[in-house]
Amino acid sequence: MRIFVTGASGWIGSAVVPELLGAGHEVVGLARSEASVQRLEAAGAVVQRGDIDDPDGLAKAAADSDGVIHLGFQHEVAFGGNFAAAAAADRRAVEAMGAALAGSDRPFVLASGMLGLTPGRVATEDDGLVATAAVRANPAGRRSATALLTLSLRGIGVRSSVLRFPPTVHGDGDNGFVATLVGVARQRGVAGYVGDGSNRWPAVHRSDAARLARLAVEAAPGGSVLHAVGDEGVAFSEIAQAIGHHLGVPTASVAPADAGGHFGHLAHFVSLDSPATAAITRQLLGWEPTEPSLLEDLGQDHYYRQG
């Protein structure tokens, strides 16, 4: 298959590209910078210059492909305080690529998230399939609405699926949530958790996530929701203990009222109890995680290197 991948040079995308190539697929990767071009060419991918804000270019690349994996998202815009704008751009991109694939029965895989999907209980692939009132009021500004739009593409002849990722897609080179938590613990001299630390995060190793993305574009039925979950729910106190042990700093509870001062912009996320299962995904596609768990990964040196 000739597969068009957005976000191809990102954290997950840079694992998905070699996974696809290793399975014999041709990869066309979207790149907006010269550095991304060089990384993709070195990996063996064909480069499509452009970005998420070019619906026409995305539509053409999708039309010229045998399938699409859409991993790209304007994270710098979202984390810069304008999440609604990033979500709206993402929706326009999905609309353009979905229209280009209409009537072809070709696959379209959308990357989405699962954090906060069903707070306090284990989320399944069957959750989050009904739009809330807030989502209906502002679909362009909500990623969950774009996920529902993607699932609806099966109605126009697209083999669409939504691949939900946990907040922690871990591995050597990760600069996301966990790496940030390590930095906070190093700066504060304590590895903290909120309250009693019993709130849980799901997690998956990057290589396992990449393999699931390949299986999704190859075989996921139209309208399916997939969960890339290796660890269903790791207690946040255990994450803090692993970090504290490796850094040689104490582990301590942080009062909810003090979480903002301690964790900064991560305060809301580290307080969430958001476990999730991938039981349906495993049965549907025969996917089984084989890489190290989050706690096993936190026992390695790579999260603690200082450049």
Side-chain angles (χ1 to χ4, degrees), residues 277-297:
T277 178
I280 293 174
T281 299
R282 295 184 189 200
Q283 182 177 21
L284 184 65
L285 294 179
W287 174 73
E288 289 293 336
T290 59
E291 300 294 332
S293 68
L294 174 58
L295 294 180
E296 288 170 342
D297 227 359

Side-chain angles (χ1 to χ4, degrees), residues 86-276:
D90 190 48
R91 186 178 182 88
R92 290 191 297 270
V94 170
E95 289 172 341
M97 290 186 284
L101 295 173
S104 68
D105 199 36
R106 283 176 283 173
F108 180 88
V109 181
L110 171 74
S112 190
M114 64 178 64
L115 188 62
L117 187 63
T118 56
R121 70 170 177 83
V122 179
T124 77
E125 294 89 336
D126 290 332
D127 287 312
L129 301 183
V130 178
T132 64
V135 169
R136 291 195 299 271
N138 181 27
R142 304 275 183 161
R143 291 194 80 181
S144 57
T146 300
L148 294 176
L149 168 64
T150 297
L151 296 178
S152 75
L153 294 176
R154 64 178 171 174
I156 60 169
V158 180
R159 182 163 61 83
S160 58
S161 60
V162 170
L163 175 53
R164 293 175 180 156
F165 291 105
T168 298
V169 180
H170 57 90
D172 192 355
D174 174 20
N175 288 311
F177 281 135
V178 173
T180 303
L181 290 172
V182 170
V184 170
R186 181 177 278 121
Q187 178 185 13
R188 301 288 183 188
V190 60
Y193 54 85
V194 177
D196 65 3
S198 63
N199 59 301
R200 298 154 292 175
W201 267 15
V204 69
H205 192 279
R206 182 172 72 138
S207 295
D208 286 325
R211 185 157 42 86
L212 181 54
R214 174 180 61 79
L215 292 172
V217 78
E218 289 176 345
S224 56
V225 175
L226 308 170
H227 277 190
V229 173
D231 294 306
E232 290 194 0
V234 185
F236 206 88
S237 59
E238 295 184 62
I239 296 173
Q241 287 163 9
I243 293 172
H245 175 76
H246 211 96
L247 289 178
V249 301
T251 303
S253 171
V254 176
D258 298 328
H262 185 91
F263 293 104
H265 71 281
L266 290 183
H268 170 68
F269 301 107
V270 301
S271 302
L272 290 175
D273 183 38
S274 190

